[in-house]
Amino acid sequence: DAGVTQSPTHLIKTRGQQVTLRCSPISGHKSVSWYQQVLGQGPQFIFQYYEKEERGRGNFPDRFSARQFPNYSSELNVNALLLGDSALYLCASSLDARGEVDTQYFGPGTRLTVL
Amino acid sequence: GEDVEQSLFLSVREGDSSVINCTYTDSSSTYLYWYKQEPGAGLQLLTYIFSNMDMKQDQRLTVLLNKKDKHLSLRIADTQTGDSAIYFCAVLNQAGTALIFGKGTTLSVSS
């Protein structure tokens, strides 16, 4: 079975631009979460979506937004890019958003570089 | 808020056991996880433990949980060079929506 897939693999943008990252969950998984991993740090939670609804949001500015589609895939959008947005963006999928028994499986990530 | 702390580096010889330690602050954390990250890659789930368990063993991996001290450890038996990677401890937040990660422990295995 295919795991979590993300596109693109790498992306280079300049300050002030906008970016859209894409994620396809494992087949049968209905929940998608997004994390930001800055070099040398652990991943930081950005959003969780389940059945197209936002179920959780981390401490990120409104420049970050996301959505989930009827096929459970998801997009993460970041507007007005800053140098500090350079990071590995990880998508994780899980069966549902109940959390306690719901293991999150991660994709390979999208490496975003902001110049 | 929830905080997770890990030691940053561990160096062992091939064939030895590795023990990676983690402490966390939220005693209500129900599930605690260990993930592995190789250079340039995403996170690979290694194992997890529920908070009402003290120990879980999975092949070469042993997880120990001391809930009183909020201390979690991952023991890798017979460590191989292929085990060289960054290991992240993560706990589920109270809402059950997000994983809170430590900064990761870089394990270096020499032959």
Side-chain angles (χ1 to χ4, degrees):
Chain A
D1 286 342
V4 178
T5 59
Q6 293 186 243
S7 63
T9 305
H10 295 90
L11 206 51
I12 299 175
K13 293 284 188 178
T14 56
R15 281 180 297 176
Q17 284 189 312
Q18 175 264 343
V19 69
T20 298
L21 311 180
R22 296 176 176 82
C23 171
S24 292
I26 293 169
S27 177
H29 285 195
K30 297 182 178 180
S31 179
V32 169
S33 300
W34 287 95
Y35 293 79
Q36 180 197 64
Q37 186 180 20
V38 173
L39 197 63
Q41 302 291 319
Q44 297 270 328
F45 172 70
I46 310 175
F47 288 110
Q48 185 182 72
Y49 275 78
Y50 173 68
E51 291 280 12
K52 297 175 287 181
E53 289 188 3
E54 182 184 303
R55 286 298 182 92
R57 183 182 184 123
N59 189 23
F60 280 80
D62 291 343
R63 298 185 297 107
F64 289 77
S65 63
R67 55 180 176 167
Q68 187 177 30
F69 299 99
N71 67 353
Y72 304 111
S73 67
S74 177
E75 286 182 351
L76 175 70
N77 294 284
V78 187
N79 293 322
L81 285 167
L82 303 174
L83 295 179
D85 295 330
S86 295
L88 181 68
Y89 287 84
L90 294 163
C91 173
S93 80
S94 55
L95 280 171
D96 61 40
R98 284 191 297 228
E100 289 188 353
V101 294
D102 199 29
T103 303
Q104 296 187 20
Y105 296 90
F106 285 80
T110 294
R111 172 75 60 190
L112 172 65
T113 302
V114 182
L115 301 176
Chain B
E2 176 72 78
D3 192 27
V4 177
E5 298 282 341
Q6 298 179 240
S7 52
L8 295 183
F9 298 101
L10 177 64
S11 182
V12 300
R13 287 190 173 273
E14 193 173 24
D16 288 349
S17 291
S18 306
V19 179
I20 301 171
N21 294 300
C22 169
T23 57
Y24 58 97
T25 56
D26 187 356
S27 58
S28 67
S29 297
T30 51
Y31 277 84
L32 304 99
Y33 300 82
W34 285 102
Y35 285 87
K36 175 183 179 182
Q37 187 175 38
E38 298 187 41
L43 299 177
Q44 175 194 352
L45 174 68
L46 289 177
T47 187
Y48 65 89
I49 189 168
F50 186 50
S51 58
N52 69 354
M53 299 169 66
D54 297 325
M55 185 182 85
K56 182 179 180 181
Q57 190 154 359
D58 186 0
Q59 299 182 338
R60 292 191 299 124
L61 305 179
T62 302
V63 179
L64 294 177
L65 175 61
N66 182 328
K67 199 173 178 184
K68 174 176 169 289
D69 293 338
K70 298 177 199 169
H71 182 268
L72 183 72
S73 68
L74 174 70
R75 178 178 179 269
I76 305 173
D78 187 25
T79 312
Q80 303 297 307
T81 54
D83 294 324
S84 293
I86 303 175
Y87 290 80
F88 289 96
C89 170
V91 303
L92 194 62
N93 69 349
Q94 284 193 15
T97 55
L99 292 173
I100 310 300
F101 286 86
K103 291 186 178 179
T105 299
T106 299
L107 174 64
S108 175
V109 184
S110 57
S111 56

